[in-house]
Amino acid sequence: MEFLTLISQSRSLSINPNLRILSSPNVSSTFIPKDVPYFKTQFLKLTGMATRNVIVSAAMTEKPWKRYTGGEAKGFVDEMRLVAMKLHTRQQAQEGEMEAKAPEEQRVEEWEPTFDGYLKFLVDIKVVYDTLEQIIEKPSFPSYGEFRNTGLERSEKLAKDLKWFEEKGYGVPEASSPGVAYAKYLKQLSEKDPQAFICHFYNIYFANTAGGRIIAKKVAEKILDSRELEFYKWDGELSQLLQNVRDKLNKVAENWSREDKNRCLGETEISFKFYREIVRLMLS
């Protein structure tokens, strides 16, 4: 989805040109359908995010997302990207629709990352990648197997980076609540809702190849003497690795109903919320 790793707290999300999902700070449990898994209802209640009944109602449409230029979306990955870009702030992306309210929602050039905060970020994001890659390696659903050994995997790279910090004498912290909470959510979601899980898979991996590299460069210049971490290196041509995964995602989504696709798209906001909490660690 090539969205900036800066995660914005969204206020709206379009499921089709004529319908918007609204977030409310006071979400009543009476608006959450009975078929929504318990762990997801708790997340929705605590964060005040859009509830699944709105997402499900949007699934009544059979029309895919439209490009901003007016053309048809080309494959489901294109739909996922459009949703993600709309959830950026205007400071982060030309297509963004949100207003920046927190430091991490501003342009990267305005950030003031700390060394300790960046280490916390690396530790927490490794927990997330560890979980994702374990889920793919031992899949609850056959479709997950399509995404083994894509070349985008990050766990081993992050392990090398953290080992380097330790060898330099820096204290590597334990994982904190943002990373642990996201990992737990992903594990539970992957066992119940493959379409929703794929949304997170896409957002997390593609974020690191686009906005993640922009952030890495700026952070490295400010606090790492411009050292390039293994986290931001790939074995092979990155553009081709990404295209291969796009093709696999589009292939898997071909067998989804419009309701499945809209449920996946509706998970984008939750993905942004979790990832934003982890990115915020850099500035702590």
Side-chain angles (χ1 to χ4, degrees), residues 65 67 105 116 140-141 147 159 175 251-252 258 266 273:
W65 282 72
R67 284 181 175 275
E105 295 171 346
D116 289 343
S140 299
F141 293 90
F147 304 104
K251 179 181 178 181
V252 167
R258 189 65 245 173
K273 170 67 177 178

Side-chain angles (χ1 to χ4, degrees), residues 12 14 20 68 85-90 93 95-99:
S12 63
S14 296
R20 300 187 72 80
Y68 292 116
M85 293 309 299
K86 288 167 71 66
L87 289 177
H88 283 73
T89 64
R90 293 182 177 90
E95 296 165 290
E97 295 188 351
M98 305 298 120
E99 290 294 338

Side-chain angles (χ1 to χ4, degrees), residues 114-126 157-173 216 219-220 223-232:
T114 67
F115 190 91
D116 289 343
Y118 194 57
L119 266 180
K120 292 177 184 177
F121 164 77
L122 293 175
V123 170
D124 274 37
I125 202 61
K126 183 178 185 299
K157 299 286 188 179
L158 281 163
K160 291 180 180 179
D161 287 329
L162 293 176
K163 182 178 180 180
W164 178 83
F165 281 111
E166 288 181 334
E167 291 173 346
K168 292 296 182 180
Y170 298 108
V172 176
V219 170
I223 63 176
L224 295 177
D225 294 328
S226 296
R227 175 182 173 81
E228 184 181 10
L229 298 182
E230 294 297 318
F231 184 31
Y232 304 102

Side-chain angles (χ1 to χ4, degrees), residues 66-67 88 90 113 138 150 205 220:
K66 299 288 186 179
R67 284 181 175 275
H88 283 73
R90 293 182 177 90
K138 297 180 180 180
T150 63
Y205 279 104

